[in-house]
Amino acid sequence: MAMPSHAKYLIIGAGIHGLSTAWHLAAQLEAKGLGGGKDVLVIDKGGIAAGASGIACGVVRNNYFQPAMRELMAQCVEVWESDPKAFSYHPVGYMQISPEPMHADVATIYQQQKAIGYDSTFVEGEKDSMSYMKGLFHDWQAKGITSVLHEKKGGFANNTASIYGLAKKAEDLGVRILTGAKVTGFQYGHNSEAVTAVVTDRGVIECDQVVVGVGPWINQIWNMLELPKQVAIKGADGKLHEGIPMWRYWCLEEGTLGVDPDLQRTNDGGPPPVIHVDTDAPLYSDVDGSLISEEMWGIYYKPDLNFGGIQGGAMPYVVETPVDQVAVDPYGPDSPDFIVGDDFAHMWCSALAFCQKRFEGQIKHYKMNEPSGGLGCFTPDSFPVFDRFRENVYVIADSNHGYKMIGVGKLVAQELVNGESALLKPFRFSRYAEGKLHPTSHSPFPWS
Ligand SMILES: Cc1cc2nc3c(=O)[nH]c(=O)nc-3n(C[C@H](O)[C@H](O)[C@H](O)COP(=O)(O)OP(=O)(O)OC[C@H]3O[C@@H](n4cnc5c(N)ncnc54)[C@H](O)[C@@H]3O)c2cc1C
């Protein structure tokens, strides 16, 4: 595509958020008689699905302890369900299998799922949890489980395929997608905060409205926009805590056991739900019986033809390097620093065997020669920030919750065209200073 000189709406990032926003923006502009896809330009320094959306495990769930997250996820699942084929979406369901310290939290999730009409089953008590799981998988053997939340909706989607599906929907409505153009800065008006043009390594593009959907690169764009590197947060104690870094990186640990995906069928031969297990039972090595963990730990997994086996992950770890020095590029499997190693394979395969007998002794099939894992950029409270900055810059910073959030772009488009969305309101930047924080759960994961 020739380098455009102007775009009414310029979206940075061709991942799940940038493309979902582009598609819905085109549709909503057209519906209102205010224009259409020709007014929307997406630019990406790499290509479509070059970022986190292209390597995501692809899990789609509602299971969140925070009411605002749950309501938002229910809306997102509706968008996934609107065209499963185009989004390569597999609605197999999702299970949160938990130990006693998480029981009460998950019980409230179930209650609120009932309140919003989100179909799920909740099983309580060690004995009943075991028999429910054995009813699905005859070889279930995980210890320390006292509740099971079985979401009948949700499941997973194939990462790259779904992002290409979104790109097609946007392009079909006339949206232009320019790849290989990297944003290096912004130009501002003489007497205003607003961005008048986006500077790229291929030229300057004037624009009326910017949307930022750059996933793990948000710290770089945030710095270019000269937004605050630190924030003040009003805590539950009513005091303002100053100097909290706005961004920090976590490294996500995922991998694939290269066995036949059909190894993980349910007792009746059907496709299994995505499994997420947290437990406080000790984890021992499936290789030599040594103790791996006595702390609470968790894993998730699903059979996935796209990855060629049983794919999943475990808890991420905090990257201690100062945020401006973290090498985000090369990203994902190409990174020399942020891919998983032997320790992950040992832990995750042992944990699979802890859960189901069929995985005992299978570590030899782990795909060591396929690098996996990747960085996520997190906000101070690990929940998304969806907000306007500098008058005409809309930032979609999902704090790494976001592949499942295919519906956020629809709501962002609504905010750009029609006004405020109640579902996005709890995710404003001002919540830090106002102390309007989301409740935190007992999960060992930063995104539950
Ligand atoms: C290993 C892993 C597994 C995950 N699994 C899940 C999961 O199962 N479920 C889930 O819900 N979430 C998951 N996530 C999180 C999820 O992938 C992200 O939250 C989401 O994909 C972010 O989408 P995005 O559109 O904001 O960014 P991205 O998909 O990262 O897209 C951003 C795009 O911006 C482009 N870009 C960056 N900087 C510039 C620039 N200066 N100029 C031009 N373009 C630029 C990049 O090239 C990239 O293509 C996972 C994340 C990782 C790393």
Side-chain angles (χ1 to χ4, degrees):
M1 185 201 298
M3 190 69 187
S5 58
H6 177 262
K8 196 165 170 191
Y9 294 92
L10 191 149
I11 299 177
I12 312 171
I16 192 103
H17 297 306
L19 292 171
S20 177
T21 304
W23 166 39
H24 288 104
L25 196 50
Q28 292 184 27
L29 286 171
E30 209 172 297
K32 277 226 143 189
L34 295 173
K38 64 176 179 11
D39 300 310
V40 183
L41 173 70
V42 180
I43 62 172
D44 199 291
K45 70 184 178 66
I48 292 166
S53 307
I55 61 167
C57 176
V59 173
V60 176
R61 66 183 160 104
N62 180 269
N63 170 46
Y64 271 100
F65 183 58
Q66 302 72 27
M69 289 293 278
R70 259 196 319 276
E71 284 173 29
L72 183 56
M73 295 312 163
Q75 179 268 0
C76 290
V77 167
E78 280 172 21
V79 177
W80 284 109
E81 287 172 345
S82 68
D83 196 343
K85 193 160 172 255
F87 300 138
S88 206
Y89 172 57
H90 308 278
V92 293
Y94 173 89
M95 300 188 86
Q96 168 66 50
I97 300 157
S98 314
E100 195 50 25
M102 290 174 62
H103 185 159
D105 287 357
V106 183
T108 67
I109 295 174
Y110 170 65
Q111 288 306 334
Q112 290 171 37
Q113 284 181 342
K114 271 208 305 198
I116 61 171
Y118 196 86
D119 190 10
S120 61
T121 296
F122 191 48
V123 182
E124 295 175 270
E126 197 160 351
K127 218 167 134 242
D128 287 354
S129 296
M130 179 61 88
S131 65
Y132 188 84
M133 291 311 298
K134 276 189 177 294
L136 276 172
F137 304 107
H138 58 83
D139 62 336
W140 187 261
Q141 56 187 12
K143 296 184 197 71
I145 301 302
T146 63
S147 73
V148 173
L149 178 68
H150 187 172
E151 298 182 356
K152 302 299 168 60
K153 290 155 82 93
F156 72 100
N158 300 119
N159 48 30
T160 311
S162 56
I163 306 305
Y164 273 91
L166 269 179
K168 181 167 185 326
K169 283 184 183 289
E171 285 180 324
D172 284 351
L173 293 181
V175 170
R176 291 164 299 161
I177 303 175
L178 176 70
T179 55
K182 180 178 178 176
V183 173
T184 55
F186 296 92
Q187 291 179 356
Y188 306 103
H190 289 305
N191 295 315
S192 87
E193 284 268 286
V195 168
T196 52
V198 169
V199 183
T200 79
D201 55 0
R202 287 172 55 187
V204 174
I205 309 172
E206 291 178 353
C207 55
D208 302 347
Q209 169 73 50
V210 180
V211 177
V212 176
V214 292
W217 290 269
I218 182 60
N219 178 54
Q220 297 173 6
I221 297 287
W222 189 263
N223 287 342
M224 287 179 208
L225 288 165
E226 296 165 20
L227 294 170
K229 281 175 173 291
Q230 296 185 333
V231 289
I233 301 184
K234 193 177 190 180
D237 54 6
K239 290 191 189 132
L240 211 55
H241 301 265
E242 310 267 358
I244 315 276
M246 180 59 204
W247 305 108
R248 72 215 142 109
Y249 282 98
W250 288 67
C251 184
L252 280 88
E253 302 218 276
E254 294 195 346
T256 304
L257 190 65
V259 292
D260 180 351
D262 275 347
L263 181 66
Q264 176 66 341
R265 289 260 152 193
T266 54
N267 292 346
D268 62 6
V274 175
I275 301 291
H276 182 118
V277 178
D278 294 310
T279 181
D280 51 6
L283 177 62
Y284 295 98
S285 165
D286 187 45
V287 179
D288 58 14
S290 60
L291 180 68
I292 296 177
S293 175
E294 276 185 307
E295 309 286 312
M296 177 123 91
W297 56 271
I299 61 161
Y300 47 94
Y301 59 97
K302 55 166 166 48
D304 194 324
L305 284 171
N306 185 38
F307 284 96
I310 306 297
Q311 193 269 347
M315 297 151 311
Y317 64 86
V318 175
V319 176
E320 302 292 356
T321 313
V323 69
D324 287 338
Q325 291 164 33
V326 173
V328 186
D329 287 300
Y331 186 69
D334 300 328
S335 167
D337 305 318
F338 302 114
I339 49 169
V340 299
D342 294 352
D343 284 355
F344 167 79
H346 185 211
M347 181 270 165
W348 186 68
C349 292
S350 298
L352 287 176
F354 170 98
C355 293
Q356 292 183 253
K357 197 167 177 51
R358 71 190 75 179
F359 296 122
E360 287 179 2
Q362 302 277 14
I363 191 171
K364 56 183 178 289
H365 299 298
Y366 181 82
K367 294 192 174 188
M368 278 314 287
N369 52 359
E370 287 184 15
S372 56
L375 286 175
C377 194
F378 287 66
T379 61
D381 59 355
S382 297
F383 292 108
V385 168
F386 304 128
D387 211 343
R388 282 173 203 271
F389 297 86
R390 285 190 159 274
E391 297 176 25
N392 64 344
V393 180
Y394 198 109
V395 171
I396 306 175
D398 71 13
S399 199
N400 205 72
H401 291 271
Y403 176 82
K404 66 183 82 62
M405 291 178 151
I406 195 169
V408 164
K410 183 173 180 180
L411 301 172
V412 170
Q414 180 188 317
E415 294 214 311
L416 293 173
V417 177
N418 290 316
E420 192 165 68
S421 147
L423 288 177
L424 295 187
K425 217 173 152 191
F427 301 99
R428 304 298 187 218
F429 180 68
S430 59
R431 73 174 180 271
Y432 297 127
E434 292 167 358
K436 290 185 181 159
L437 303 178
H438 298 279
T440 49
S441 75
H442 290 91
S443 159
F445 289 80
W447 55 71
S448 286

